[in-house]
Amino acid sequence: MQNNPKIILLNGYGPISINNELMELYAVTTSHGAIGFPLKSLRAENVTIIKDIDTFWSTTKKIKPENMCYVYAYDGLNEEDKEKIKAQSLLEI
């Protein structure tokens, strides 16, 4: 049986590649707050994985660093999921 990819929420600032599709997060974040995708692959300059949903929703209102992609997954991300994320800087809070 094939495992389905984890669904993640994304917001932040700067360009990313999600599942081999290029996207600018600024427009999504300012217009809609976040966008959800199955996590097959994610490339960004900087990624912060946020474990708490309330923190996820409030972070971009408090901090606006350039080229930061914030990621939230309802069931968390395991090591296999994290291997699908490629970034110069990867943080977890």
Side-chain angles (χ1 to χ4, degrees):
M1 183 173 162
Q2 181 181 3
N3 290 342
N4 292 327
K6 182 87 49 132
I7 301 298
I8 58 172
L9 294 178
L10 302 170
N11 67 15
Y13 304 93
I16 65 165
S17 172
I18 179 74
N19 305 333
N20 297 316
E21 296 287 331
L22 295 176
M23 155 180 272
E24 175 57 58
L25 282 178
Y26 177 80
V28 171
T29 300
T30 56
S31 297
H32 307 290
I35 191 165
F37 283 99
L39 176 59
K40 296 176 186 173
S41 68
L42 172 63
R43 291 185 182 276
E45 186 175 332
N46 303 298
V47 173
T48 299
I49 299 169
I50 300 177
K51 297 178 183 178
D52 175 70
I53 189 68
D54 293 326
T55 303
F56 175 79
W57 289 120
S58 66
T59 300
T60 56
K61 294 175 186 170
K62 296 176 187 173
I63 304 170
K64 292 182 172 55
E66 292 189 27
N67 297 325
M68 179 59 73
C69 174
Y70 298 103
V71 177
Y72 175 79
Y74 283 100
D75 295 329
L77 296 175
N78 60 34
E79 290 305 313
E80 184 178 325
D81 297 324
K82 291 176 190 174
E83 289 175 9
K84 297 174 184 176
I85 300 172
K86 304 297 182 212
Q88 291 176 2
S89 169
L90 179 62
L91 302 171
E92 283 188 69
I93 58 171

